[in-house]
Amino acid sequence: FGCANIVPPQGGDRGSIPPVLLNVSPSHSTRNFTGKTIVFTFDEFVEVQNAQENVLVSPLPRLAPQVDFKLKTVTVRFKDSLETNTTYTIDFGKAVKDFTEGNPVRDFTYTFSTGRFIDSLELSGNVIMAETGKIDTTIIVMLHTSPQDSAVYKEKPRYIAKLDGKGNFHFRNLPPRT
């Protein structure tokens, strides 16, 4: 009765490998998408942190989609109708992390189209603060399709992108228009 020393298990070394995406339904680059739900399945338990701030959908839907997680799945549900013949990109940033260690899935994006093809134009650049010559990674770059100079104040942007650690932005899957 005095031999065993009862202690919690040590748990081993801290893991550093982020979750791996095993399946997505419908598949990446789906065309003629008509659904409202996309389900991502990972190899381990995951969580989504600050989805409203970290998950970007371009072009911006009228209502932000609902992003939920449970066990090994992340589900994105669109609350309103998607535009016809439009390519959408969901950028999760670093929002999806493994549940136990908090290792984020990096460069996690998903693309689909409500039309017959995936738009393929790109626009990239770099933002440097004019006053300081430094980079501010909290800036969000926006694209508007309206030619009106007041669109920046009166309308939601059509496309949005975050800056990376070096001040670079990159818009992908843009349609051929101004």
Side-chain angles (χ1 to χ4, degrees):
F1 73 93
C3 296
N5 187 9
I6 301 173
V7 295
Q10 298 299 317
D13 295 334
R14 180 173 170 83
S16 62
I17 299 172
V20 175
L21 182 65
L22 298 176
N23 185 42
V24 59
S25 178
S27 63
H28 182 68
S29 297
T30 288
R31 294 171 182 91
N32 299 311
F33 179 84
T34 58
K36 292 269 189 196
T37 304
I38 303 166
V39 179
F40 302 88
T41 305
F42 293 88
D43 67 338
E44 60 182 302
F45 294 162
V46 293
E47 64 181 344
V48 179
Q49 293 185 339
N50 300 325
Q52 295 295 356
E53 297 172 17
N54 294 321
V55 179
L56 300 178
V57 179
S58 276
L60 285 173
R62 193 172 47 81
L63 298 172
Q66 179 179 340
V67 180
D68 297 313
F69 64 93
K70 183 176 182 181
L71 303 176
K72 297 181 180 183
T73 63
V74 173
T75 305
V76 177
R77 288 183 181 82
F78 291 96
K79 297 177 182 178
D80 59 351
S81 298
L82 298 173
E83 297 176 35
T84 59
N85 298 319
T86 303
T87 300
Y88 287 88
T89 300
I90 304 172
D91 184 350
F92 289 89
K94 296 179 184 176
V96 178
K97 300 180 178 196
D98 71 39
F99 185 75
T100 55
E101 305 295 338
N103 299 312
V105 179
R106 299 197 186 279
D107 301 320
F108 181 30
T109 61
Y110 173 80
T111 302
F112 67 96
S113 176
T114 57
R116 295 181 298 125
F117 58 88
I118 301 285
D119 291 317
S120 61
L121 297 181
E122 298 183 9
L123 177 67
S124 60
N126 185 274
V127 177
I128 299 172
M129 300 300 292
E131 303 87 23
T132 63
K134 295 183 180 179
I135 297 166
D136 181 356
T137 58
T138 63
I139 290 176
I140 294 176
V141 180
M142 302 176 281
L143 294 179
H144 287 269
T145 55
S146 171
Q148 303 299 319
D149 59 356
S150 62
V152 175
Y153 298 106
K154 294 182 178 179
E155 298 176 19
K156 286 174 99 174
R158 184 82 174 130
Y159 298 92
I160 55 177
K162 289 184 177 181
L163 298 181
D164 66 12
K166 297 178 181 177
N168 300 314
F169 65 88
H170 194 159
F171 291 96
R172 293 176 177 85
N173 306 109
L174 296 173
R177 63 190 222 203
T178 304

